[in-house]
Amino acid sequence: MSAPITQDVLTIPRKLPDTGRTNIVGLSREQLLEALVAAGTPERQAKMRVGQVWQWIYHWGVRDFAQMTNLAKDYRQLLADKFEITLPEIVSRQVSTDGTRKYLVRIAGGHEVEVVYIPEEGRGTLCVSSQVGCTLTCSFCHTGTQKLVRNLTAGEIVGQLLLARDDLGEWPVQGAPKDETRLISNMVLMGMGEPLYNFENVRDAMKIVMDNEGLSLSRRRITLSTSGVVPEIARTAEEIGCLLAVSFHATTDEVRNKLVPINKRWNIETLLNALRDYPRLTNSERITFEYVMLAGVNDTDEDAHRLVELIRGIPAKINLIPFNEWPGAPYKRSSNNRIHAFADIIYKAGYASPIRTPRGEDIMAACGQLKSATERGRKSRAAIAAEAAE
Ligand code: SAH
Ligand code: SF4
């Protein structure tokens, strides 16, 4: 694409140095308390110290113990000796003509994941990754062509939000009037990976993100997207309580088996049964059904009618995603007319059916286009096309 983009490439060492210090980012309050006590904090002070350190890091965005001015100087030194406040490092940042920013971020071991910031009228959404690669192989997804390398730690998941706030300069200034407008007002777990295959780390990270004395993002502003890992759906309601999006994408098991192969394990009916309980468990919120529009594959009027029949009774919104093409992809995007006709049927059946505007396409930041350069090419294009045609 010819649209001008900017790109900064930062030169950093390929391997993060191992300092032997404990990284505080990603520790729960309980873990931090234990660690502070183990480092010599008197037990009776420990809870208060947790609160202070927590606020410095997650409310004020401080990265240096020396700046934690309500702590005694020798205590700050003790913290600096035993702990660190480390985030994944931004390797490159691309800014799209539409304002979308895509960060390539390096985590321990030299692996890379992508983080995308999408500014919109009145809100801004950060799309974070939960795994390096993905074990699932959805045939229309670029990440699905990449093998799973590893799960991200809770610290690496929270760290994506911290580094984006650093880059956007979004930390409160002490003494300045409180500013309620937030550049990053929403967060979606829709980057690389299947969040429900990394449940504990995702849950622990979201608890930090939702903590009221820190990043303080409400659970209603966090959306977790799953391809349909049924046993973890009720757990998500109970242990995280965020909004849920489901990569639905097809209205028959035959087609969904090809597009979202996890369907062979938990089919449409099993998935829908799990979804029916979710809104009740989390206080009657709507579930977002994501539906990628693939020309000639899942986009007929019959599909639209079947879709509304299937989800009947579930409070839902259907998010239609025009397929984002990537080099070698075995599908084409449905035409605009087709997408609108499909949306219309759903809308007339009583469901909101927004068509997602692809964002950051010029920098390959749109849904399903994420894939880091280091992990590229693990699976051949031919293999993907063959699977899709099975
Ligand atoms: N693994 C999770 C979350 C990441 S994918 C999941 O599958 O839900 C985020 C969304 O982007 C999913 O709905 C996914 O199906 C969709 N997606 C993947 N590749 C896409 C592509 N090439 N074009 C449009 N949407 C895509
Ligand atoms: Fe993995 Fe989601 Fe892509 Fe499927 S759509 S391969 S689950 S990241």
Side-chain angles (χ1 to χ4, degrees):
M1 228 179 257
S2 60
I5 57 171
T6 64
Q7 174 161 355
D8 323 324
V9 177
L10 316 174
T11 318
I12 54 158
R14 281 207 74 79
K15 216 165 168 264
L16 303 178
D18 184 3
T19 59
R21 290 190 283 262
T22 304
N23 187 12
I24 292 184
V25 178
L27 297 185
S28 64
R29 280 178 178 271
E30 298 72 35
Q31 289 167 330
L32 180 56
L33 187 112
E34 253 174 54
L36 292 185
V37 170
T41 308
E43 292 224 15
R44 65 195 150 70
Q45 293 179 3
K47 201 156 175 227
M48 183 172 75
R49 300 285 172 248
V50 168
Q52 290 167 317
V53 171
W54 192 275
Q55 265 210 335
W56 282 117
I57 298 176
Y58 297 117
H59 178 77
W60 298 109
V62 160
R63 300 278 179 273
D64 183 353
F65 296 106
Q67 287 171 26
M68 301 186 176
T69 47
N70 56 354
L71 301 176
K73 268 212 171 122
D74 51 351
Y75 189 65
R76 286 185 238 163
Q77 190 53 53
L78 177 135
L79 291 178
D81 290 342
K82 305 264 168 131
F83 297 99
E84 60 188 27
I85 305 165
T86 308
L87 311 185
E89 300 195 53
I90 299 181
V91 182
S92 69
R93 180 187 62 182
Q94 290 172 284
V95 183
S96 159
T97 44
D98 68 14
T100 300
R101 293 179 182 210
K102 179 168 89 168
Y103 306 98
L104 182 63
V105 161
R106 186 171 298 146
I107 56 172
H111 306 299
E112 291 167 353
V113 291
E114 284 164 326
V115 186
V116 180
Y117 173 64
I118 307 146
E120 283 169 292
E121 202 52 42
R123 67 187 218 163
T125 303
L126 192 71
C127 177
V128 302
S129 294
S130 56
Q131 300 183 308
V132 185
C134 189
T135 45
L136 302 172
T137 50
C138 303
S139 50
F140 55 89
C141 172
H142 206 196
T143 307
T145 65
Q146 179 187 330
K147 279 195 186 129
L148 176 74
V149 180
R150 75 168 168 84
N151 281 335
L152 266 57
T153 63
E156 289 162 346
I157 299 169
V158 175
Q160 294 172 58
L161 174 56
L162 298 181
L163 66 85
R165 291 193 78 176
D166 283 355
D167 186 58
L168 294 164
E170 195 189 17
W171 292 106
V173 177
Q174 289 199 40
K178 207 168 169 205
D179 183 1
E180 297 291 349
T181 54
R182 289 177 69 157
L183 294 173
I184 302 176
S185 59
N186 294 64
M187 188 159 158
V188 293
L189 283 145
M190 294 188 186
M192 295 164 66
E194 168 49 62
L196 296 189
Y197 273 157
N198 185 14
F199 187 87
E200 281 83 9
N201 288 323
V202 166
R203 175 199 59 203
D204 294 351
M206 291 311 106
K207 287 202 166 141
I208 296 173
V209 167
M210 295 186 285
D211 188 292
N212 275 335
E213 282 164 42
L215 295 159
S216 181
L217 215 56
S218 136
R219 67 183 184 90
R220 287 159 201 272
R221 291 186 172 270
I222 300 172
T223 304
L224 182 153
S225 173
T226 179
S227 56
V229 184
V230 164
E232 307 293 343
I233 288 179
R235 239 181 127 194
T236 306
E238 282 151 17
E239 298 180 33
I240 309 178
C242 60
L243 304 182
L244 190 70
V246 173
S247 294
F248 207 65
H249 304 321
T251 59
T252 62
D253 282 324
E254 194 194 346
V255 176
R256 195 163 190 269
N257 284 346
K258 282 183 189 151
L259 299 181
V260 190
I262 200 179
N263 194 70
K264 294 180 197 157
R265 181 108 181 254
W266 295 291
N267 66 11
I268 291 181
E269 193 190 342
T270 316
L271 174 60
L272 288 171
N273 285 337
L275 296 177
R276 266 178 237 287
D277 294 331
Y278 196 90
R280 181 180 50 78
L281 294 172
T282 53
N283 248 337
S284 82
E285 273 128 5
R286 285 189 303 181
I287 292 183
T288 301
F289 284 77
E290 296 163 287
Y291 199 98
V292 63
M293 299 297 295
L294 305 171
V297 177
N298 62 355
D299 63 350
T300 62
D301 285 357
E302 290 70 45
D303 280 305
H305 289 296
R306 250 194 316 264
L307 180 59
V308 294
E309 281 315 312
L310 283 170
I311 65 171
R312 198 130 328 272
I314 304 178
K317 150 176 128 181
I318 290 89
N319 219 330
L320 299 176
I321 317 174
F323 174 58
N324 293 310
E325 297 185 11
W326 36 272
Y331 300 107
K332 290 266 167 278
R333 179 183 294 185
S334 310
S335 72
N336 278 344
N337 283 348
R338 184 84 302 268
I339 298 177
H340 281 100
F342 196 95
D344 212 42
I345 293 173
I346 294 169
Y347 182 75
K348 288 201 174 113
Y351 294 96
S353 55
I355 299 168
R356 194 182 289 172
T357 324
R359 298 292 303 264
E361 276 190 297
D362 52 343
I363 56 172
M364 288 279 286
C367 298
Q369 292 183 314
L370 303 184
K371 181 167 172 177
S372 52
T374 47
E375 317 288 350
R376 226 175 278 279
R378 292 289 177 89
K379 199 164 160 191
S380 77
R381 304 287 169 235
I384 305 157
E387 271 172 29
E390 260 172 25

